[in-house]
Amino acid sequence: VLTRRMPAIDMLGAATVLCVDKTGTLTENRMRVVDTPQAVVDTAALACEVDLFDPMEKAIVAAASADAVEVRNGWRLERDYPFGDDFLAVCHAWRSPQGKLRVAIKGAPETVLPLCGRTDAMQEVRDAADTGLRLLAVAEADWDGPLPEDPGRYPFRFAGFVRLADPLRASVPEAVAQCRRAGIRVVMITGDFPGTALNIARQAGIEAGEALTGDAIAAMDDAALAAAVRHASVFARVRPEQKLRLVQAYRAAGEVVAMTGDGVNDAPALKAAHIGIAMGSRGTDVARESAALVLLEDDFGSIVRTVRLGRRIYENIRNAMRYLVSVHVPIAGMSFLPVALGGPLFLLPVHVVFLEFVIDPACTLVYEAERTEA
């Protein structure tokens, strides 16, 4: 953990709530495609960014056939409809050297399925999410003529689901258990489907009844949200700007909040938290500048070890201050009372200086080097 501001370490030791992302923090961020027909993977690969950076898209393109890779390399990307808060999907329109247009889309099932008239397939999404898989709906369309501004105008045909697995980090259940024993509540905030989030939460040992979704958060006022966060520990389909509201709600409930983030949109939440923690390997410069701590390894265990270190520093400073106060009270009394009562001096200045030479090194060598208590 890289510390940008030293007081943040012992502040982290006082944290009562850890708000963490799922992907890459609780899980290994090693996406792999499982149980998906090749044709669906190939279509999904055409809806991946040209310059791959997301582990999910890297996994999809790696699993695609040579034909799909040839289309990505040989066809021209005519139009990119980007992922956004109101459009939870990526849509690409490709033009072949002969002028043929092919449109591919992949994204959240609740966004893609209505475009294909296939809302009946949501039960399959819920069933797969209950096993911890992430499902992306995939569709394609042919098109002639000018490209529309709204991707919803394409006559999409549903291709299927891409199933992605991202295993839980082996160290996470014990780290979560340590937090619980230390009186720290772990909260998961993710953009994933609620069922997937709840499955990973159960594997990690996070106590969760049901997930509070971004749509439910949007419908609540600040007072209702402050009451809801007292009981909810899993938040799914959360948009970046809603993370700020969650941090503010926990602060309003009297919690000391540590918050992880990696994107540009996470910066306000990182600033608002008592301790902002940015991801080092996948975090943006803006997130790192806004955070007090930076994880050099995006691992939940690193946060827990830093909490332990912060508590050790705080406890040792407190013990050192108790020692300093308790040892200086009799010195001050023995120096002041003889003067006040007119008696002989117990301590001369040279004695006080000698005692300080003994007290300060003892304080430094003993208390600051104390090991962590149970």
Side-chain angles (χ1 to χ4, degrees), residues 98-118:
Q98 295 76 30
K100 177 184 176 182
L101 273 172
R102 183 179 178 185
V103 184
I105 185 173
K106 71 163 182 14
E110 56 265 39
T111 297
V112 176
L113 292 179
L115 299 178
C116 312
R118 286 293 306 274

Side-chain angles (χ1 to χ4, degrees), residues 78-299:
E78 193 79 5
R79 181 68 186 266
D80 177 5
Y81 299 92
F83 186 97
D85 292 341
D86 299 323
F87 184 68
L88 302 179
V90 175
C91 180
H92 286 167
W94 297 87
R95 188 178 295 276
S96 72
Q98 295 76 30
K100 177 184 176 182
L101 273 172
R102 183 179 178 185
V103 184
I105 185 173
K106 71 163 182 14
E110 56 265 39
T111 297
V112 176
L113 292 179
L115 299 178
C116 312
R118 286 293 306 274
T119 54
D120 58 307
M122 283 302 297
Q123 185 58 46
E124 184 178 350
V125 178
R126 287 187 282 268
D127 292 342
D130 289 341
T131 66
L133 294 177
R134 172 187 283 190
L135 260 66
L136 296 178
V138 181
E140 60 183 340
D142 298 318
W143 186 259
D144 290 319
L147 298 177
E149 293 295 324
D150 180 10
R153 292 184 56 192
Y154 292 115
F156 284 114
R157 303 181 301 275
F158 180 59
F161 293 109
V162 171
R163 290 170 166 80
L164 294 150
D166 185 15
L168 187 77
R169 290 182 186 271
S171 61
V172 165
E174 175 57 27
V176 171
Q178 287 181 7
C179 288
R180 188 183 303 110
R181 291 194 297 268
I184 301 172
R185 184 174 163 208
V186 179
V187 172
M188 179 199 295
I189 302 176
T190 179
D192 272 0
F193 191 76
T196 306
L198 286 171
N199 180 274
I200 295 296
R202 285 192 289 268
Q203 292 183 44
I206 298 174
E207 298 176 356
E210 60 181 37
L212 191 65
T213 64
D215 290 340
I217 293 172
M220 295 180 180
D221 59 20
D222 292 342
L225 184 58
V229 298
R230 296 179 184 273
H231 309 288
S233 295
V234 176
F235 301 90
R237 284 288 189 252
V238 174
R239 294 186 289 274
E241 67 273 12
Q242 292 176 331
K243 293 182 180 180
L244 175 60
R245 288 196 65 201
L246 288 173
V247 170
Q248 292 171 335
Y250 276 115
R251 293 192 63 151
E255 306 284 1
V256 178
V257 185
M259 172 80 187
T260 66
D262 57 4
V264 173
N265 292 335
D266 292 336
L270 293 174
K271 276 283 190 184
H274 292 97
I275 313 103
I277 305 171
M279 301 302 171
S281 61
R282 59 190 171 93
T284 60
D285 290 341
V286 174
R288 287 193 288 265
E289 288 295 326
S290 302
L293 303 175
V294 178
L295 293 185
L296 301 183
E297 295 181 5
D298 299 353
D299 183 1

